[in-house]
């Protein structure tokens, strides 16, 4: 088993937003390999998301933006389960980032396939 330092766990946590124990477990499972640990966390996140798919997402952020020429606009509604998440600055920033990306897309499918910090929007969701 690889020796995992608190600094490595913290680095993974900052990169992924996952919990400390999840990051530590992923690093242990990946034998200290940072990229493998990210993939492990991504797969775990997909499983958790699948379990939550039937839950009601009645909170969230609705963002409307227009381009510089004011001839194209989009409205994005990014939903979540709790008002605590909806009020979080990172969540609102994510909704704003998606809205800016959407300005350059012509369909929902194109937005979902768009690159967002090295992954697709769909993967981030």
């Amino acid at each position: 088993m690889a020796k995992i330092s608190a600094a490595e766990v913290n680095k993974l946590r900052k990169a992924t937003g996952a919990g400390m124990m999840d990051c530590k477990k992923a690093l242990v499972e990946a034998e200290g390999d940072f990229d493998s640990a990210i993939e492990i966390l991504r797969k775990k996140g997909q499983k958790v998301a699948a379990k939550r798919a039937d839950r009601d997402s009645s909170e969230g952020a609705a963002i409307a933006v227009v381009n510089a020429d004011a001839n194209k606009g989009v409205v994005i509604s990014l939903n979540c389960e709790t008002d605590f998440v909806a009020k979080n600055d990172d969540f609102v920033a994510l909704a704003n980032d998606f809205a800016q990306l959407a300005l350059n897309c012509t369909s929902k499918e194109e937005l979902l396939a768009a690159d967002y910090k090295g992954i697709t929007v769909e993967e981030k969701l």
Side-chain angles (χ1 to χ4, degrees):
M1 178 163 67
K3 175 80 170 140
I4 307 300
S5 71
E8 292 171 315
V9 173
N10 193 35
K11 179 182 173 187
L12 183 60
R13 185 182 189 295
K14 286 182 180 179
T16 63
M20 293 292 278
M21 289 306 296
D22 289 333
C23 289
K24 182 176 180 180
K25 288 176 186 176
L27 280 167
V28 168
E29 186 178 333
E31 298 177 356
D33 181 32
F34 191 79
D35 292 330
S36 294
I38 289 175
E39 189 60 32
I40 289 167
L41 288 172
R42 187 170 292 145
K43 288 178 183 176
K44 181 179 179 183
Q46 289 172 346
K47 289 178 187 175
V48 170
K51 288 180 185 177
R52 292 183 176 178
D54 62 338
R55 290 188 183 175
D56 186 28
S57 297
S58 59
E59 301 292 331
I63 307 293
V65 294
V66 294
N67 66 0
D69 297 332
N71 60 6
K72 183 177 180 183
V74 297
V75 176
I76 295 284
S77 175
L78 185 61
N79 297 332
C80 58
E81 294 176 17
T82 67
D83 62 335
F84 297 108
V85 172
K87 293 176 184 175
N88 181 294
D89 290 339
D90 291 337
F91 185 83
V92 175
L94 179 65
N96 278 306
D97 289 349
F98 286 170
Q100 291 299 323
L101 279 173
L103 279 174
N104 300 316
C105 298
T106 57
S107 68
K108 174 183 166 184
E109 292 74 22
E110 186 178 345
L111 173 61
L112 291 173
D115 179 67
Y116 180 77
K117 299 182 180 180
I119 60 175
T120 66
V121 170
E122 186 170 22
E123 289 172 327
K124 181 67 175 171
L125 290 172

